Amino acid sequence: MTLLDGKKTSEAIQQEIAAEVAEIKASGGKVPHLAAILVGNDGGSVTYVNNKVLACERIGFGSTLIRYEDTISEEELLIKIKELNLNDEIDGFIVQLPLPKHIDTEKVLEAVDPQKDVDGFHPINVGRMVAGLPAYLPATPAGILQLLERYQIETRGKHCVVIGRSNIVGSPMSILMSKCAYPGDATVTLCHRNTVDLPHYTRQADIIIAAVGKPGLITADMVKEGAVVIDVGTTRVPDATKKSGYKLKGDVDFDAVAPKCSFITPVPGGVGPLTIAMLMKNTLRAAKSEVYA
Ligand code: NAP
């Protein structure tokens, strides 16, 4: 069994980006600049956004963090987005989700200029991804593709079972794995809450990608010998021994499942660290006008 080391892979990707930024700087080019809008004070969201800003600093990007109280109106937020769309200094920006209930998330995501949509959530980028056109890919599925590629895992003709159909992970993952490309070219089954007899599908899987958020959902009897298991799940469960008071658990019963696998991601340290690296990669692509040339 090989452990898929997301931390190491993420560091390698960020070093590659940092080297490219140093070259851009040396040749007098424009330094990539990422902006992030954070609404409210949700602990998880604050941590995620701060980590994104820190990553920018580490690799040499410019960054701007724009914070609002959760009482901000939808209109005010849309005005800020329009402003960022027109600001030539900003190459890409993200609106950290979730947004407060009084704000229409779809409307906000659609207001972002697709050319600056480095989260890859705008319907135009989603559509371009489905059509196989150059697009900003959502960071988590893109990170999983990087893991598969960098560990040279065979995907062609394999049966890939994706569990979860969210717009940010499961659904794009299933589409990307079905594309005639590497990594991809797999036969894909997409499972969800209403799938009847989930183990029936997972037992046939050469590659399982679990993106649910239910610790321990995937047990050893659901996995065939030699399978590749990618665990996207990150659920906070109380843990009095930790300073934070919680620990992160994946969807996979790691201790029981790992001995059966050819490759498996740990939680934490698997898929998680790649998400930021891929956001940085999208920002670099935006600065280089690579997607919308
Ligand atoms: P989500 O929007 O809540 O989607 C969860 C999906 O799981 C839904 O499609 C749901 O089905 C399905 N589901 C729920 N219970 C199920 C069951 N018993 N059997 C099969 N499918 C079931 O979550 P998400 O945003 O995709 O995130 C999923 C997990 O990944 C979470 O733990 C999240 O924290 C984690 N995550 C990690 C990263 C990272 O590491 N960087 C990034 C994003 C998300 P329905 O559609 O029928 O409701």
Side-chain angles (χ1 to χ4, degrees):
M1 184 274 292
T2 302
L3 208 58
L4 295 169
D5 189 335
K7 198 162 173 275
K8 210 172 85 189
T9 308
S10 173
E11 279 164 11
I13 294 169
Q14 291 186 58
Q15 271 167 22
E16 290 161 17
I17 299 172
E20 220 175 313
V21 175
E23 273 175 35
I24 293 172
K25 274 186 187 164
S27 63
K30 183 189 170 300
V31 172
H33 194 120
L34 174 73
I37 299 181
L38 172 61
V39 179
N41 297 297
D42 171 74
S45 294
V46 173
T47 309
Y48 294 143
V49 170
N50 283 339
N51 286 340
K52 289 168 188 175
V53 171
L54 285 174
C56 283
E57 286 169 6
R58 251 195 333 267
I59 61 181
F61 285 1
S63 65
T64 302
L65 173 58
I66 302 151
R67 289 196 71 165
Y68 292 110
E69 291 300 322
D70 56 12
T71 48
I72 186 181
S73 69
E74 184 179 288
E75 203 185 346
E76 252 181 290
L77 187 58
L78 291 173
I79 288 171
K80 188 67 194 177
I81 290 171
K82 273 192 192 144
E83 203 183 296
L84 293 177
N85 284 342
L86 296 172
N87 183 341
D88 288 341
E89 174 57 23
I90 310 285
D91 297 294
F93 66 97
I94 59 160
V95 182
Q96 184 67 39
L97 301 181
L99 290 168
K101 293 232 176 330
H102 67 277
I103 295 176
D104 182 343
T105 302
E106 294 309 319
K107 210 166 159 183
V108 166
L109 295 181
E110 282 195 53
V112 176
D113 180 346
Q115 302 197 28
K116 294 192 176 189
D117 170 40
V118 286
D119 257 342
F121 294 162
H122 191 289
I124 286 187
N125 278 313
V126 178
R128 289 175 68 102
M129 173 194 70
V130 173
L133 296 168
Y136 295 115
L137 301 182
T140 304
I144 293 169
L145 294 185
Q146 283 285 321
L147 264 186
L148 293 169
E149 189 177 343
R150 289 180 186 237
Y151 280 86
Q152 298 176 342
I153 294 171
E154 183 58 84
T155 58
R156 181 165 302 119
K158 301 294 182 191
H159 184 194
C160 175
V161 173
V162 178
I163 313 156
R165 58 179 161 189
S166 72
N167 285 344
I168 62 166
V169 193
S171 177
M173 197 70 243
S174 69
I175 291 162
L176 291 165
M177 288 303 287
S178 71
K179 287 281 168 205
C180 186
Y182 178 77
D185 222 353
T187 302
V188 179
T189 301
L190 180 56
C191 298
H192 47 75
R193 195 184 302 272
N194 295 316
T195 296
V196 177
D197 197 1
L198 179 63
H200 167 76
Y201 297 99
T202 57
R203 277 189 207 117
Q204 299 171 37
D206 303 303
I207 303 169
I208 295 175
I209 302 177
V212 177
K214 290 224 155 70
L217 178 72
I218 308 299
T219 51
D221 60 311
M222 293 168 73
V223 179
K224 81 171 176 189
E225 282 295 334
V228 176
V229 174
I230 310 284
D231 190 354
V232 188
T234 35
T235 306
R236 287 181 175 188
V237 296
D239 183 349
T241 66
K242 301 272 179 200
K243 219 166 95 188
S244 59
Y246 69 84
K247 65 177 171 190
L248 293 179
K249 291 285 271 182
D251 292 336
V252 176
D253 178 1
F254 184 89
D255 291 342
V257 170
K260 294 182 86 173
C261 297
S262 53
F263 295 90
I264 186 168
T265 56
V267 176
V271 174
L274 285 159
T275 300
I276 284 194
M278 299 318 290
L279 174 66
M280 298 300 130
K281 191 134 186 158
N282 275 348
T283 306
L284 179 65
R285 294 178 80 202
K288 291 164 68 184
S289 301
E290 246 180 40
V291 176
Y292 292 87

